[in-house]
Amino acid sequence: MDVISVIRTKRDRGELSPEQIDWVIDAYTRGEVADEQMSALAMAILLNGMNRAEIARWTAAMIASGERMDFSALSRPTADKHSTGGVGDKITLPLAPLVAACGAAVPQLSGRGLGHTGGTLDKLEAIPGWRALLSNAEMLDVLDSTGAVICAAGDGLAPADRKLYALRDVTGTVEAIPLIASSIMSKKIAEGTGSLVLDVKVGSGAFMKTVEDARELAATMVGLGTDHGVRTVALLTDMSTPLGRTAGNALEVRESVEVLAGGGPADVVELTLALAREMLDAAGLTDADPAKALADGSAMDVWRRMISAQGGDPDAKLPVAREQHVVTAPASGVLTRLDAYGVGVAAWRLGAGRARKEDPVQAGAGVELHAKPGDAVTAGQPLLTLHTDTPEKFDYALQALADTYDLAPAGTAYEATPVVRERIA
Ligand code: URA
């Protein structure tokens, strides 16, 4: 087997054979295929696509590149959720303890933010003492004792994807649906969950800007999960405007705790419950009532135990940024648009996100929204509060917000986009 013939096959719109796929993934992971050769192949895949059989084999080869976890010794059924990433998407924080409170085991291997989208681990690290890095034994221990664990994926899980994802990030080849689907699903299948609910975001703040692309990605991932024996369902959910009223690490932890205390913004509660119902259903726990577990404090109890088990203090005061800047409404009217991408970029520029994987993030930085699309506002009222420890960044963040919202005359009718747009199973 030689890499040039593999690249040529895809460059000339051919179908890669199972042998070619197995060989190229293995040889790339071992360093025998060079980055520039894999870049050429990734670009050929981006331009010419892969069929279902190729995507399935590519995913299987990435799974085989590393270890597989095994949760079969747990007494509870496992349920997991993966979001394709958005702005203000803090749903994992209330969702994992909620689903655990309803009887499932929730092993949530999560990531860090890159670019304008936030990362679950960065958010939880705003809690003093909380640790994202656990050994496999520690992870199983937290999962067994509390019902839920949120932590970083170990180096041994799908190492081919780790290498390929970093390469795609710097070669303009992230946005290929076969590569995104196989990247996400190889990690989820290797992780060993019995069931999986995918939250595929669609809109300006998401990877997928159109419903058609989101649908194709969702259907591809559901097919991969099902073929590997993982009960998989996808919800297409709105990411044209940020979820909830905060984007930023500690700000989002605070909002998640409000949800666990029975309050919180309506869209965050609605999506948390919709995903919880899907996860419980996929795990075979059809009698559980997640709304009750939010209201009666049992989800909050799991949250507190889960945070403590990972070294965090659930009662600690969360970090607050040193400086604030308030953006006010220039006129009275109805807010008809508040763009997720603009808010995400502003939060990132304020210090909530990172430009390179190794950069630190500011726990207190981010954007607070005082109005959401559909709300009436009066001239001079606060629309957004910007938080940062580096006030020299305010101007740069404000540039990102320049064309982020629309105000229509008072009384203008506003039709909200549903939080959950479609379900694909
Ligand atoms: N998340 C992943 O894990 N992989 C991708 O390719 C895109 C998003």
Side-chain angles (χ1 to χ4, degrees):
M1 196 73 70
D2 74 287
V3 67
I4 297 169
S5 68
V6 179
I7 297 169
R8 281 193 182 126
T9 303
K10 193 39 77 182
R11 182 198 66 188
D12 299 339
R13 298 195 173 82
E15 177 177 342
L16 297 176
S17 70
E19 294 74 26
Q20 283 179 312
I21 291 173
D22 291 352
W23 178 81
V24 82
I25 294 284
D26 178 55
Y28 179 59
T29 311
R30 286 187 288 104
E32 189 182 320
V33 165
D35 276 347
E36 58 271 25
Q37 295 171 316
M38 197 54 157
S39 309
L41 181 58
M43 185 58 81
I45 291 170
L46 181 133
L47 295 173
N48 297 328
M50 287 203 283
N51 64 27
R52 186 171 172 160
E54 289 174 293
I55 300 172
R57 191 71 181 210
W58 188 274
T59 307
M62 294 218 291
I63 295 168
S65 73
E67 65 187 21
R68 290 189 76 156
M69 299 193 69
D70 181 8
F71 298 123
S72 58
L74 294 173
S75 53
R76 301 159 168 230
T78 44
D80 192 5
K81 177 278 316 194
H82 180 85
S83 159
T84 55
V87 179
D89 183 5
K90 72 266 312 163
I91 302 294
T92 297
L93 277 61
L95 181 66
L98 171 60
V99 173
C102 293
V106 189
Q108 198 64 76
L109 298 184
S110 298
R112 296 184 185 282
L114 190 67
H116 75 281
T117 63
T120 297
L121 301 180
D122 294 329
K123 293 172 199 187
L124 285 166
E125 278 177 349
I127 301 173
W130 187 85
R131 283 192 303 125
L133 290 176
L134 303 181
S135 66
N136 285 358
E138 281 177 316
M139 179 194 171
L140 275 170
D141 203 39
V142 178
L143 187 58
D144 202 25
S145 60
T146 73
V149 63
I150 304 175
C151 62
D155 286 348
L157 210 73
D161 176 64
R162 191 176 301 272
K163 215 174 154 189
L164 181 56
Y165 188 80
L167 184 73
R168 287 165 56 213
D169 204 22
V170 293
T171 54
T173 51
V174 168
E175 297 88 350
I177 288 177
L179 295 179
I180 297 176
S182 54
S183 164
I184 292 173
M185 294 306 291
S186 63
K187 287 172 287 204
K188 289 292 156 184
I189 295 164
E191 171 202 298
T193 186
S195 59
L196 175 65
V197 176
L198 297 160
D199 180 0
V200 179
K201 303 282 184 205
V202 54
S204 71
F207 260 130
M208 299 292 125
K209 309 290 181 201
T210 68
V211 176
E212 292 71 29
D213 282 350
R215 214 177 266 147
E216 187 185 335
L217 176 62
T220 307
M221 292 196 290
V222 168
L224 284 171
T226 308
D227 288 351
H228 281 88
V230 180
R231 284 180 300 283
T232 310
V233 172
L235 297 184
L236 263 50
T237 72
D238 182 53
M239 189 32 70
S240 58
T241 200
L243 262 171
R245 290 179 172 264
T246 55
N249 302 312
L251 293 169
E252 293 192 47
V253 174
R254 194 189 68 205
E255 195 169 61
S256 303
V257 173
E258 284 167 17
V259 172
L260 287 162
D267 57 348
V268 178
V269 175
E270 181 182 341
L271 185 53
T272 302
L273 287 175
L275 290 165
R277 289 192 184 104
E278 293 290 352
M279 287 170 76
L280 292 165
D281 209 40
L285 296 164
T286 43
D287 291 339
D289 180 356
K292 180 167 168 291
L294 264 192
D296 69 12
S298 47
M300 178 68 101
D301 289 344
V302 177
W303 162 264
R304 294 177 60 82
R305 280 191 272 125
M306 178 185 82
I307 295 300
S308 303
Q310 291 181 234
D313 176 358
D315 296 314
K317 200 171 164 310
L318 291 167
V320 175
R322 281 196 290 276
E323 304 277 343
Q324 279 75 33
H325 176 93
V326 177
V327 177
T328 55
S332 297
V334 178
L335 188 67
T336 52
R337 183 178 69 93
L338 182 56
D339 181 66
Y341 182 70
V343 172
V345 173
W348 173 46
R349 290 182 179 178
L350 290 165
R354 55 172 67 77
R356 289 170 306 157
K357 279 200 164 63
E358 55 282 6
D359 290 346
V361 296
Q362 291 178 29
V367 179
E368 216 177 333
L369 320 178
H370 301 293
K372 295 270 290 189
D375 288 351
V377 299
T378 45
Q381 82 156 72
L383 269 188
L384 308 165
T385 301
L386 280 50
H387 298 254
T388 187
D389 294 334
T390 42
E392 64 277 13
K393 298 279 175 59
F394 278 137
D395 279 347
Y396 191 37
L398 286 167
Q399 285 167 25
L401 294 169
D403 181 33
T404 301
Y405 63 88
D406 291 332
L407 279 176
T412 303
Y414 170 78
E415 198 177 333
T417 310
V419 175
V420 178
R421 301 185 60 160
E422 280 181 29
R423 179 178 189 276
I424 294 179

